[in-house]
Amino acid sequence: MAKSRAQYACTNCGAVTSRWQGRCDSCGGWNTLQEEQAADAPKSMRTGKGRILELSALSGDSEPLERILTGIDELDRVTGGGFVPGSALLVGGDPGIGKSTLLIQAAATLARQGKRVVYVSGEEAIDQVRMRADRLALKDADVLLAAETNVEDILATLKSGPPTDLVIIDSIQTIWTDRAESAPGTVTQVRTSAQALIRYAKASGSTVVLVGHVTKDGQIAGPRVVEHMVDAVLYFEGDTGLQFRLLRAVKNRFGPAAEIGVFEMTGKGLAEVANPSDLFIGERDSSSPGTAIFAGMEGTRPLLVEVQALVAETSLGTPRRAVVGWDPSRLAMILAVLDARCGVRFGQFDVYLNVAGGLRLGEPAADLAVAAALISSRAGVATPAETVYFGEVSLSGAVRPVAQTAIRLREADKLGFARAVLPAGGNDEGQVTLSLDKIATLGDLVAAIAAETAGKASS
Ligand code: TYD
Ligand code: MG
């Protein structure tokens, strides 16, 4: 018998090393390495012999993908137009964010369409799942439930029945296999169980959804080890203290990534938010200084968001910079550009920046809205009402055009905004009734807001 070797796998990213160390070289996580037994290579790999494969041409005919629409539009949008049969998805997110709620809702709508849906809960007893379904008024839906954690038993059950359209495994971290020696929840267990379930999806044509908890302390094997094995990775995010939740596609082999779906957690489960811009600019107080509306994009969808800044005289030697929902180094850059190119100084001021509603902005196009909010708070005058901002700011102080100008403008138009401040370089505005204020440099923005101050002073 081959001697089994010990190796160490990172519970966060799945990287394997031969010796233990305090910090994972691959992802930089501390104390995430866990001992496991290395599996021996399959026999064919050791002998070096293999089967001869038939190679195919790229131009061959393939059947078009037939997708399963759940009827929950926000979910269907994120999956790229419905679940693809034979594919595996990972739905990740913090505990308590609403993964089980969303999936039982999706399971129930599909079951009502006559699909065969199996929901395997490794965390909750059948009664708990039933209670939730009762609360969500989904009890009439014919979803097949199991409370089980052994992957061999789950697969044997699935294979013994008629073909299943959708299998939900909640959660992958609780599932274990007889074929790996380590304890449930370890990297080897999660990886081996996920592999078996994914193989089942490909072989049977069922869609398999794996739920994974994101843990910050690395105690349970992170779903990251599964990320590269599945066809699509959806992350459910949001502040548990806030009402709404974002479902974001971070990887999708069958559709666009970065697509988002917006939901609101209500007493009756997750409700779709059809017009998310309303949510993120909701209770806007346009008369107070320090806010600007950013006309942003999330995936292929426009989203207007309020950016808030507070610039206050500092009482500390080193002024504070605090950011929620944006990249702090990007804020430092905008402050430096305002200082160096426009003469707006922040050295004696604390700067706080917040993106409304707990949203995280990743687009450089938000630069101009951030700058507008900062200048407005610094000058103590509100940005003009009913105005949206977007554009990337370069280190030279130039305002650079960004993609999808027409879609951003159309959304602002639709929501009743009257004016847009945008980069001068672009020329794909489309048909809008907004008045367009094209600027070439950040200095132009500072001048416009200064003019506003002068107007206020003289009136
Ligand atoms: P859950 O789906 O269990 O989260 P996860 O599976 O991601 O861990 O959701 C848990 C939270 O959602 C819980 O704190 C209660 C809340 N919730 C509602 O507010 N309304 C509802 O109708 C349901 C079912 C849950
Ligand atoms: Mg759950």
Side-chain angles (χ1 to χ4, degrees), residues 94-102 124 132 135-136 170 213 265-269:
D94 290 329
I97 199 81
K99 300 181 293 298
S100 307
T101 308
L102 176 68
E124 292 164 304
R132 176 183 291 127
R135 235 177 94 194
L136 302 174
D170 189 0
H213 292 297
M265 186 57 101
T266 67
K268 286 212 162 60

Side-chain angles (χ1 to χ4, degrees), residues 85-426:
S87 70
L89 287 87
L90 174 71
V91 176
D94 290 329
I97 199 81
K99 300 181 293 298
S100 307
T101 308
L102 176 68
L103 290 170
I104 196 76
Q105 286 181 269
T109 46
L110 284 176
R112 282 187 184 141
Q113 295 169 30
K115 304 269 191 245
R116 186 177 152 91
V117 184
V118 175
Y119 186 102
V120 183
S121 178
E123 293 181 348
E124 292 164 304
I126 302 248
D127 280 345
Q128 281 174 291
V129 180
R130 280 196 186 133
M131 252 155 62
R132 176 183 291 127
D134 198 19
R135 235 177 94 194
L136 302 174
L138 301 172
K139 261 216 148 151
D140 60 302
D142 203 4
V143 179
L144 303 163
L145 300 178
E148 182 51 61
T149 53
N150 180 272
V151 75
E152 279 78 22
D153 291 351
I154 294 169
L155 291 177
T157 312
L158 291 172
K159 284 171 188 165
S160 71
T164 308
D165 295 295
L166 176 68
V167 182
I168 294 164
I169 307 287
D170 189 0
S171 66
I172 187 64
Q173 279 122 344
T174 57
I175 305 294
W176 61 282
T177 165
D178 303 329
R179 292 177 41 216
E181 303 231 315
S182 36
T186 55
V187 180
T188 321
Q189 284 287 358
V190 169
R191 199 193 288 125
T192 318
S193 311
Q195 256 158 7
L197 289 161
I198 293 166
R199 218 173 304 123
Y200 166 77
K202 309 270 168 220
S204 69
S206 311
T207 303
V208 173
V209 176
L210 308 174
V211 175
H213 292 297
V214 177
T215 49
K216 292 189 181 73
D217 56 2
Q219 282 307 304
I220 317 171
R224 297 254 174 90
V225 291
V226 185
E227 264 181 15
H228 64 274
M229 295 161 38
V230 292
D231 298 303
V233 179
L234 313 182
Y235 267 103
F236 212 24
E237 45 191 64
D239 208 315
T240 31
L242 293 169
Q243 220 85 76
F244 56 86
R245 306 277 183 268
L246 293 181
L247 185 67
R248 194 187 290 274
V250 293
K251 160 182 169 177
N252 194 348
R253 286 183 184 149
F254 305 109
E259 203 64 80
I260 64 160
V262 185
F263 296 91
E264 193 178 350
M265 186 57 101
T266 67
K268 286 212 162 60
L270 289 156
E272 296 178 60
V273 176
N275 194 347
S277 292
D278 272 348
L279 203 70
F280 295 107
I281 56 174
E283 299 114 36
R284 181 163 138 75
D285 176 12
S286 56
S287 62
S288 65
T291 66
I293 303 291
F294 168 48
M297 294 292 300
E298 287 287 347
T300 57
R301 157 196 257 189
L303 187 62
L304 301 193
V305 202
E306 185 181 84
V307 176
Q308 306 159 350
L310 176 64
V311 177
E313 245 172 284
T314 187
S315 54
L316 306 165
T318 316
R320 280 195 66 141
R321 305 284 183 248
V323 194
V324 178
W326 209 48
D327 180 3
S329 49
R330 201 106 198 146
L331 172 67
M333 191 197 92
I334 299 291
L335 291 175
V337 173
L338 280 170
D339 191 316
R341 309 287 175 202
C342 314
V344 183
R345 314 249 176 256
F346 289 91
Q348 301 301 315
F349 295 87
D350 289 335
V351 176
Y352 302 89
L353 191 78
N354 180 40
V355 177
L359 195 73
R360 257 207 80 79
L361 297 179
E363 268 194 293
D367 290 356
L368 202 60
V370 170
L374 289 170
I375 301 166
S376 153
S377 179
R378 175 74 172 79
V381 333
T383 53
E386 309 306 322
T387 304
V388 297
Y389 296 83
F390 61 90
E392 185 182 343
V393 172
S394 73
L395 286 179
S396 65
V399 176
R400 294 217 299 250
V402 293
Q404 289 150 318
T405 300
I407 303 176
R408 297 174 202 266
L409 291 175
R410 214 178 315 129
E411 177 78 357
D413 213 10
K414 200 174 88 192
L415 288 166
F417 283 83
R419 201 164 75 100
V421 178
L422 69 162

